Amino acid sequence: MRFSYLEHVAHEILPTIEIVWEISRTFHSDSDQYVSDYYQQIREMTHKHEALTGIEKLQAVIHDFYFDLGFSDAPEPIVGAQRILLDRVISYRTGLPVSLALLLQETAAYAGIQTELVDFPGYPLLRFDFEQQSYFVDPLHGELLEGHQVQERFEDVTDDALEFSWDMFEAADQKTILMRYLTELKHAMIHDREFANALTVVHMLLAISPDDPYEIRDRGYVLEELDCQQAAVDDYQYFVEQCPDDPSAQLLRLQLETWAAPQHVLH
């Protein structure tokens, strides 16, 4: 299973948003209709704020996105894939912060505002630089944060386990963004017990990061759920060999020993 649009993300040949559209198309044949509707709506919005610049324009775009277009955080405590895949987020108008951030970033770009995704703990933020000052947008509800607010939030989220540094708030590279997005999607597919789709997502992750032992371990789990035990054995063995000190390796080693033990049939 190959995903050519994911194999060269380290070189950032394609825009991130184009890659995420392709991911949606993999799972939904009607994806393009939702995408087309979204672009028509944001094109119409761009004409409303041509006279504005800088932070005023960003605030106007944020208002349009959350109030006029009606995007909001996913209402469920545990979300499914429909709150992550962008075509469904457009349809339902609700999604996880990483998906909302990608859509808001594209909406802002059509209005002429350049923003960057920051790999903030918990979920990404959007950064907007204007007149030698950085502003941050929380994609959960569109709250605009300044520097001291970001630092306070960082300290709350990390519980002072990490030392704060502004170097952490540089733009995330494409690989980081897509790995984070696909990891959320993988977890949602597994939670929904959509294991065939989850396997597809793991293959996408491995297209970006080949031989990643943790993704290979997760592929083994999905294959086990799909009753492909021998393939799962191979993946689990690889993980145990590559990460022998990981706590999950100890459990997998016992599971592999159980599977390898002779099975006695009672008559």
Side-chain angles (χ1 to χ4, degrees):
M1 189 178 297
R2 290 195 61 188
F3 302 96
S4 58
Y5 54 87
L6 290 170
E7 292 174 357
H8 305 290
V9 299
H11 304 292
E12 303 198 11
I13 295 171
L14 295 173
T16 302
I17 193 70
E18 291 295 334
I19 295 173
V20 179
W21 294 139
E22 287 295 334
I23 293 169
S24 289
R25 291 185 186 104
T26 300
F27 298 100
H28 299 132
S29 60
D30 61 350
S31 178
D32 284 349
Q33 182 58 54
Y34 294 107
V35 175
S36 177
D37 291 345
Y38 162 74
Y39 277 109
Q40 181 178 343
Q41 290 170 332
I42 65 173
R43 284 192 194 100
E44 292 171 354
M45 286 169 43
T46 59
H47 302 299
K48 294 168 53 179
H49 310 303
E50 291 178 345
L52 299 177
T53 59
I55 196 66
E56 290 183 351
K57 194 169 191 177
L58 176 61
Q59 290 173 319
V61 170
I62 291 171
H63 181 276
D64 287 348
F65 186 80
Y66 292 96
F67 291 92
D68 293 352
L69 295 182
F71 284 100
S72 66
D73 182 32
E76 308 94 336
I78 301 177
V79 300
Q82 76 275 11
R83 309 299 188 194
I84 302 170
L85 290 164
L86 291 199
D87 58 337
R88 267 33 189 183
V89 174
I90 292 168
S91 174
Y92 292 109
R93 288 295 194 265
T94 57
L96 285 188
V98 63
S99 300
L100 295 175
L102 287 164
L103 288 173
L104 178 57
Q105 183 181 43
E106 185 72 350
T107 302
Y110 262 70
I113 298 176
Q114 182 67 35
T115 61
E116 302 288 353
L117 255 73
V118 173
D119 192 30
F120 193 77
Y123 54 80
L125 302 178
L126 285 175
R127 194 189 77 202
F128 174 61
D129 297 327
F130 181 66
E131 294 184 343
Q132 299 183 328
Q133 185 170 350
S134 293
Y135 300 87
F136 297 85
V137 184
D138 182 340
L140 200 63
H141 303 296
E143 182 182 1
L144 194 61
L145 308 172
E146 296 189 31
H148 68 281
Q149 294 170 301
V150 172
Q151 182 169 353
E152 289 171 0
R153 182 170 296 196
F154 178 89
E155 291 166 354
D156 288 343
V157 171
T158 62
D159 199 23
D160 295 326
L162 294 175
E163 184 176 351
F164 180 84
S165 169
W166 283 112
D167 292 339
M168 299 176 180
F169 295 88
E170 296 300 316
D173 60 31
Q174 188 175 85
K175 179 178 179 179
T176 298
I177 295 167
L178 290 172
M179 290 291 288
R180 190 162 186 171
Y181 177 81
L182 286 168
T183 299
E184 296 276 14
L185 184 59
K186 174 185 67 178
H187 291 157
M189 294 291 194
I190 290 173
H191 176 264
D192 292 346
R193 302 193 65 78
E194 296 180 8
F195 293 114
N197 285 338
L199 183 61
T200 298
V201 179
V202 173
H203 283 143
M204 289 177 173
L205 284 158
L206 286 169
I208 299 174
S209 185
D211 303 322
D212 184 318
Y214 290 92
E215 297 305 333
I216 290 175
R217 177 199 62 188
D218 288 354
R219 184 176 66 185
Y221 170 74
V222 172
L223 288 167
E224 181 184 354
E225 292 293 334
L226 291 169
D227 296 324
C228 301
Q229 182 174 311
Q230 187 52 54
V233 166
D234 294 340
D235 282 348
Y236 287 159
Q237 285 178 334
Y238 178 86
F239 176 76
V240 168
E241 291 168 2
Q242 296 297 314
C243 305
D245 298 326
D246 188 278
S248 62
Q250 312 305 319
L251 297 174
L252 288 176
R253 191 176 289 110
L254 292 173
Q255 184 170 334
L256 290 169
E257 291 172 358
T258 301
W259 283 351
Q263 300 297 312
H264 300 289
V265 179
L266 298 177
H267 297 282

